[in-house]
Amino acid sequence: MFDTALTVNDLIFLARGAGMTIIVTAISVVIGTLLGILFGVIRVQLGPILAAPLTFVLDIFRSVPLLIQLVLGNAFIGMVLQLQISGFTVACIVLSLYTSAYCAEIVRGGIDAVPEITRRAARSLGLTWGQDMRYIVLPLATRVALPSWIGLALGVMKDSALVYVVQVTELLKSTQILITRLQEPLFLLLICGAFYFIISFPLARFGGYLEKRWSND
């Protein structure tokens, strides 16, 4: 018969870790998406030559592993800038910039997917650049970019497991602590995976619902 030393308090401990994962992910995705929209629009408007410096910086965030970014970001903020901030804040800053780099590419691709003739027609009707972006480009680009954005949000949620390097006790770190104490790795990892599924499944289904609904409009 299966026996475990896991207690209700241990499950509460894991739930708190899951809560931290949700908080870090939500903050990073929201800030990263806003920055990504800004960076993506700037890249499209400036063109490949003028936007080259921004593109280079974003490529760095997409190319360097997140674990290294977290370690270097924590060292830069603490040693170079001499700022005393929590590991949670460091994790949110680095993960937001990491998210914005990918989101900017998604936004750029979505905007480029809008037919040029559609934009010309909007401008010929007297719409300003801002009105064109607000009422024509961004709504159409959102439909194209949504599946990729959902995938990005889910990826950020899983990547948030790396924030343990800046002393943030999220879901996976909480699981590791219990594994060290209880010595039941398979069972605890199974519970950890169940928590991740519970967190990510609603977002994936909501994204699928929106995609299906918009495709029928």
Side-chain angles (χ1 to χ4, degrees):
M1 183 175 179
F2 179 77
D3 189 22
T4 178
L6 189 71
T7 65
V8 174
N9 287 334
D10 294 330
L11 289 175
I12 295 175
F13 181 67
L14 287 176
R16 289 176 179 171
M20 179 60 67
T21 293
I22 294 174
I23 293 172
V24 171
T25 301
I27 293 175
S28 302
V29 168
V30 170
I31 296 177
T33 298
L34 294 176
L35 290 176
I37 293 173
L38 176 63
F39 296 155
V41 171
I42 290 176
R43 287 189 60 189
V44 171
Q45 291 303 122
L46 294 183
I49 297 178
L50 293 179
L54 175 60
T55 302
F56 176 73
V57 173
L58 295 178
D59 284 341
I60 292 176
F61 280 99
R62 285 199 301 269
S63 303
V64 177
L66 179 58
L67 182 63
I68 296 177
Q69 293 183 37
L70 287 166
V71 174
L72 293 180
N74 188 48
F76 179 78
I77 292 174
M79 299 179 182
V80 179
L81 299 182
Q82 297 294 317
L83 297 177
Q84 300 299 321
I85 61 177
S86 65
F88 172 80
T89 304
V90 173
C92 290
I93 291 174
V94 174
L95 204 54
S96 294
L97 293 174
Y98 174 81
T99 304
S100 70
Y102 283 94
C103 187
E105 191 65 22
I106 293 173
V107 171
R108 183 200 61 77
I111 294 176
D112 286 344
V114 178
E116 184 63 27
I117 190 172
T118 302
R119 302 197 63 182
R120 290 179 181 176
R123 300 304 290 271
S124 68
L125 293 175
L127 271 67
T128 64
W129 178 87
Q131 291 172 328
D132 176 35
M133 292 296 295
R134 179 180 178 183
Y135 298 110
I136 305 297
V137 177
L138 290 182
L140 293 176
T142 299
R143 299 190 179 202
V144 175
L146 180 64
S148 297
W149 182 86
I150 293 294
L152 173 62
L154 293 174
V156 171
M157 185 269 294
K158 289 179 284 188
D159 289 340
S160 67
L162 297 175
V163 300
Y164 75 90
V165 298
V166 289
Q167 306 305 313
V168 177
T169 306
E170 40 66 59
L171 178 55
L172 187 58
K173 180 62 176 179
S174 300
T175 304
Q176 292 173 340
I177 292 173
L178 291 182
I179 289 175
T180 301
R181 181 165 61 85
L182 302 179
Q183 296 299 308
E184 299 178 8
L186 294 180
F187 180 57
L188 289 170
L189 287 174
L190 181 63
I191 295 177
C192 178
F195 270 109
Y196 275 114
F197 175 77
I198 292 171
I199 295 171
S200 61
F201 183 73
L203 178 61
R205 297 307 302 166
F206 179 67
Y209 164 76
L210 288 180
E211 185 180 0
K212 182 178 180 180
R213 180 177 178 179
W214 286 352
S215 64
N216 293 330
D217 288 344

